[in-house]
């Protein structure tokens, strides 16, 4: 039982490049989330998916897209990366109100 | 104004001290209250949760909620160096928003031997 896994662990991009962050959970949870964490800002919700086939915007969705591929997987895509998207990205899944987090992806956009 | 405000610290205490971590919130729809602990370069992990006003104790940790004043606290007794981490309060609302959490900024705690 791996819980929530994220790939890659670390990525460096140049401004304008695109990339997809992958997230998978093996806990059979319906809800999944993408957050970014910046110093002094806490965790801010980018997008979430209450169930397979549905996605909704969170607090900071601009510049991102998501895909809920199936119940297990929820990916986050940056179409044209900007330096302001340098951050640590966390994926989470939830059941009964409790969220379980992955180990995070550190993204640096130059 | 942010929905959840948390003193970011940093907070530095000696081993054995009692630590008090606090949050205030403005959204009356919040019905349950989580505390997460995050070690350096790791993902947050659930520490405690409570669904009502009052105290909830788990070992050296006590979560306190006062809904009338919209105030959340986490107390750590006999603090240990292994408690050094960032602590995040995270209230959640019910209804269609059930499962979504709003996180405070996090308080960085260091317990030195």
């Amino acid at each position: 039982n791996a819980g929530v896994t994220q790939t890659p662990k670390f990525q460096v991009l140049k401004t304008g490049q695109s990339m997809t962050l992958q997230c998978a959970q093996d806990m059979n949870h319906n809800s999944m989330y993408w957050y970014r964490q910046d110093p002094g800002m806490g965790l801010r919700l980018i997008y979430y998916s209450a169930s397979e086939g549905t996605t909704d915007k969170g607090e900071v969705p601009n510049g991102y897209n998501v895909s809920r591929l199936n119940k297990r997987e929820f990916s986050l895509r940056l179409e044209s990366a900007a330096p302001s998207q340098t951050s640590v990205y966390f994926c989470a899944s939830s059941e009964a109100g409790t969220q379980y987090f992955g180990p995070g992806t550190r993204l640096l956009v130059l | 104004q942010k929905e959840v405000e948390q003193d970011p610290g940093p907070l530095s205490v000696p081993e054995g001290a009692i630590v008090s971590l606090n949050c205030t919130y403005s959204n009356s729809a919040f019905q349950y209250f989580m505390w997460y602990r995050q070690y350096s370069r790791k993902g947050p992990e659930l520490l405690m949760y409570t669904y009502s006003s009052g105290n909830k104790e788990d070992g050296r940790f006590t979560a306190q909620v006062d809904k009338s004043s919209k105030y959340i606290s986490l107390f750590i007794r006999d603090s240990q160096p292994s408690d050094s981490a960032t602590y995040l309060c995270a209230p959640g609302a019910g209804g269609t928003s059930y499962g979504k959490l709003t996180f405070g900024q996090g308080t960085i705690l260091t317990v030195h031997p």
Side-chain angles (χ1 to χ4, degrees), chain B residues 30-97:
Chain B
F30 289 146
Q31 296 182 6
Y32 56 97
F33 306 88
M34 308 275 188
W35 282 96
Y36 281 80
R37 178 174 61 194
Q38 185 178 20
Y39 290 115
S40 181
R41 305 180 81 84
K42 301 288 187 184
E45 57 182 359
L46 180 66
L47 186 61
M48 292 187 71
Y49 69 89
T50 181
Y51 287 84
S52 59
S53 282
N55 294 351
K56 180 177 181 180
E57 192 173 313
D58 184 1
R60 296 184 294 109
F61 298 89
T62 299
Q64 187 176 80
V65 175
D66 182 346
K67 287 188 177 180
S68 63
S69 58
K70 297 186 176 65
Y71 200 80
I72 313 164
S73 297
L74 179 70
F75 298 96
I76 307 174
R77 291 186 302 279
D78 188 24
S79 56
Q80 302 295 309
S82 59
D83 295 328
S84 298
T86 298
Y87 291 80
L88 299 140
C89 63
T96 56
S97 295

Side-chain angles (χ1 to χ4, degrees), chain A residues 47-68:
Chain A
Y47 271 94
Y48 69 100
S49 171
S51 61
E52 186 179 350
T54 68
T55 61
D56 285 289
K57 295 178 180 179
E59 180 186 354
V60 289
N62 291 347
Y64 306 95
N65 285 301
V66 290
S67 294
R68 184 73 183 267

Side-chain angles (χ1 to χ4, degrees), chain A residues 6-85:
Chain A
Q6 293 183 237
T7 55
K9 286 187 170 55
F10 181 72
Q11 185 73 46
V12 179
L13 291 178
K14 295 181 180 178
T15 296
Q17 287 185 318
S18 62
M19 79 162 294
T20 299
L21 283 67
Q22 306 285 356
C23 173
Q25 53 95 6
D26 62 2
M27 295 175 282
N28 202 36
H29 290 167
N30 284 315
S31 300
M32 297 185 74
Y33 309 81
W34 274 106
Y35 293 90
R36 61 178 290 172
Q37 187 174 37
D38 303 292
M41 302 293 288
L43 287 160
R44 292 184 292 169
L45 184 64
I46 304 171
Y47 271 94
Y48 69 100
S49 171
S51 61
E52 186 179 350
T54 68
T55 61
D56 285 289
K57 295 178 180 179
E59 180 186 354
V60 289
N62 291 347
Y64 306 95
N65 285 301
V66 290
S67 294
R68 184 73 183 267
L69 304 170
N70 47 55
K71 192 171 186 179
R72 288 187 67 249
E73 298 172 290
F74 189 35
S75 63
L76 178 71
R77 183 160 178 84
L78 287 71
E79 291 291 352
S80 178
S84 60
Q85 294 178 305

